[in-house]
Amino acid sequence: MRINIIRGQNQIGGSIIEVASDSTRILLDAGSELEETDPVAPPIDGLFSGNASFQAAFISHYHGDHIGLCDKILPGIPIFIGKAAGRVTNAARAYMGKPEYHFSGFYESEKPLIVGDMIVTPYLCDHSAFDAYMFHIACNGKTALYTGDFRSHGRKSFRALLKKLPQVDILITEGTTLTRPPTKPVTEVALEQQAFQILSEAEGPAFVLMAGTNIDRLVTVYKAARQAKRILLQDLYLAAISTAAGGCIPRPRDFFDVRVFTTTGADERYEQLRSYGDARIGKKFIVNQNFIMCVRPSMRTYLEKLTELKSFDNGVLLYSMWEGYKEHADMADFLNFMRGEGVKVISLHTSGHADGNTIDDLVEKVRPSVIIPVHTENSAWFSRYQGVAIIEDQVFSF
Ligand SMILES: [Zn+2]
Ligand SMILES: [Zn+2]
């Protein structure tokens, strides 16, 4: 087995990993660089140019730093992703007017797939992207586990996942949080309790600013809103995503206390709105409700009109994203606008990535003899594991 970390070593994002044997080549993730708006594929012959020489590409989850180059992969190479992840990412792209990604098929958790002389087994894990997976690869008597992005403080049981994971020779693991001082991460359930507290104490309207595709967070906000007897108002973008996620994810039509609103009168948006039937709600009705509304900086004009019908005084805005986005000019302007309307901005967020203790637990369970750190700026952290070789070379064969 040969592992080639084409990109994503000593950096966060842009993950592109090749696993090869004498007869088979597969790809794990095809990520763009973080904050790259118009992704450019690096020159990789057989993957992005020339004749296709990979037998399959497996995408761990739909964050851009893992999927952003999947439309640049040569057409002869089949691409696989989780079924719900595929629906969510294409719903988001369709809403934004971007061409949908083409997936050749969908893998399922714990169902092995045979590609040449490799057996690839996905394992569902918890992350801030919905329907995210780790990959176990077995080839000629050797085994490797690639974690993708994961955490133990979401709603899915990490203990249950650990029980399922077999021992491996090589662990390719993310270490996103390892440059930060070690702290115990806040769980999604604890966030839900905090949000409930805030929402029940707030006298005015409530708003939440979150990544539309962070489905775990949507569940957290919905559960808190429900306990605080507020309806959840999703804009058309969020409604498209929650509807694509399906299952038990709070969405208009299937949840009586989730309603959908539009911020524009554009024709195509109106057609989308109509598809939600009685779950639609307009400004005049919104103002008579006890609600929490999903908002984004682009909704400022709409919100200005809403303030003409209802004061935002004593309102709250749950800022449920990475703190760094507050530095962006449009975000800073928006938050200042909301503050000016009498809204208190409260940060309520937790990371989508594993803390050090979680990585310790994983290493203890899968007992690798080799660790290849990826998606981290602190590979040195891994030297704590005695008797384990830490590989920082791009290519590793064994
Ligand atoms: Zn990532
Ligand atoms: Zn991710």
Side-chain angles (χ1 to χ4, degrees):
M1 196 189 284
R2 193 181 80 241
I3 293 169
N4 180 3
I5 311 297
I6 298 171
R7 194 165 69 182
Q9 224 166 5
N10 300 311
Q11 72 171 49
I12 293 169
S15 297
I16 307 174
I17 299 170
E18 174 193 353
V19 180
S21 68
D22 289 341
S23 61
T24 307
R25 260 179 124 181
I26 64 168
L27 188 79
L28 307 179
D29 285 336
S32 48
E33 301 273 16
L34 282 183
E35 310 218 2
E36 191 181 21
T37 45
D38 199 6
V40 177
I44 302 167
D45 196 51
L47 180 63
F48 297 125
S49 60
N51 295 321
S53 63
F54 284 74
Q55 277 70 54
F58 294 90
I59 305 296
S60 64
H61 65 285
Y62 54 61
H63 283 154
D65 60 323
H66 299 259
I67 200 175
L69 293 175
C70 90
D71 55 351
K72 311 269 194 261
I73 292 175
L74 290 169
I77 302 170
I79 304 171
F80 300 90
I81 192 170
K83 203 171 207 168
R87 286 199 309 263
V88 167
T89 193
N90 275 335
R93 288 180 70 80
Y95 184 87
M96 292 185 282
K98 294 181 182 170
E100 292 188 7
Y101 288 135
H102 177 72
F103 301 113
S104 316
F106 304 100
Y107 54 70
E108 286 176 54
S109 191
E110 296 161 66
K111 299 234 170 107
L113 295 157
I114 296 170
V115 186
D117 57 4
M118 295 185 192
I119 302 170
V120 180
T121 311
Y123 286 90
L124 183 66
C125 64
D126 198 284
H127 180 44
S128 46
F130 188 55
D131 203 29
Y133 293 82
M134 297 184 175
F135 296 121
H136 179 275
I137 298 117
C139 178
N140 301 325
K142 304 282 186 189
T143 53
L145 180 73
Y146 167 53
T147 64
D149 290 350
F150 75 107
R151 64 177 179 175
S152 66
H153 53 281
R155 291 181 184 277
K156 288 181 200 72
S157 163
F158 185 59
R159 294 274 142 222
L161 171 62
L162 281 185
K163 265 191 195 161
K164 292 173 190 168
L165 293 175
Q167 201 213 318
V168 291
D169 300 311
I170 299 185
L171 176 65
I172 309 165
T173 180
E174 73 130 310
T176 315
T177 69
L178 302 176
T179 40
R180 303 171 198 163
T183 48
K184 197 170 159 35
V186 179
T187 65
E188 284 292 331
V189 172
L191 273 195
E192 176 189 324
Q193 285 154 359
Q194 288 171 23
F196 164 63
Q197 200 68 36
I198 296 163
L199 293 179
S200 36
E201 284 166 10
E203 286 166 20
F207 305 89
V208 59
L209 231 166
M210 53 172 278
T213 54
N214 188 344
I215 303 287
D216 254 27
R217 190 58 44 77
L218 188 65
V219 172
T220 294
V221 170
Y222 171 72
K223 288 190 166 195
R226 192 171 189 180
Q227 291 170 68
K229 300 198 167 34
R230 288 176 183 259
I231 61 167
L232 176 63
L233 302 178
Q234 297 183 356
D235 67 294
L236 279 174
Y237 174 63
L238 239 152
I241 288 168
S242 61
T243 300
C248 55
I249 304 308
R251 59 189 179 275
R253 298 196 86 159
D254 297 320
F255 288 66
F256 74 95
D257 45 6
V258 179
R259 308 289 293 273
V260 56
F261 67 101
T262 182
T263 57
T264 140
D267 285 354
E268 79 273 18
R269 296 298 185 216
Y270 186 69
E271 280 309 307
Q272 287 169 8
L273 186 70
R274 269 168 56 100
S275 73
Y276 293 101
D278 292 343
R280 294 172 289 177
I281 187 165
K283 277 202 287 299
K284 281 188 209 136
F285 295 93
I286 286 175
V287 294
N288 296 321
Q289 299 280 340
N290 205 14
F291 65 79
I292 178 163
M293 175 183 269
C294 301
V295 293
R296 284 193 302 283
S298 59
M299 290 181 190
R300 180 167 169 163
T301 311
Y302 172 83
L303 292 168
E304 277 168 354
K305 284 188 194 143
L306 197 63
T307 60
E308 290 165 15
L309 301 175
K310 182 186 178 86
S311 163
F312 288 2
D313 260 348
N314 300 313
V316 287
L317 186 152
L318 305 179
Y319 180 85
S320 202
M321 300 176 91
W322 179 54
E323 283 293 307
Y325 291 133
K326 284 185 177 172
E327 310 293 320
H328 294 194
D330 60 338
M331 183 63 81
D333 285 352
F334 179 71
L335 294 177
N336 280 337
F337 156 70
M338 292 299 272
R339 287 188 192 102
E341 294 296 335
V343 175
K344 188 173 176 191
V345 176
I346 302 172
S347 289
L348 194 95
H349 188 51
T350 191
S351 170
H353 297 278
D355 61 311
N357 288 335
T358 298
I359 294 172
D360 281 344
D361 290 346
L362 177 67
V363 170
E364 193 177 315
K365 177 65 210 299
V366 303
R367 302 199 159 277
S369 50
V370 171
I371 293 179
I372 306 178
V374 293
H375 209 286
T376 186
E377 290 171 339
N378 189 9
S379 295
W381 183 89
F382 290 89
S383 62
R384 66 207 267 117
Y385 300 121
Q386 309 241 319
V388 179
I390 307 304
I391 304 299
E392 295 193 63
D393 298 334
Q394 190 194 323
V395 180
F396 177 71
S397 299
F398 74 111

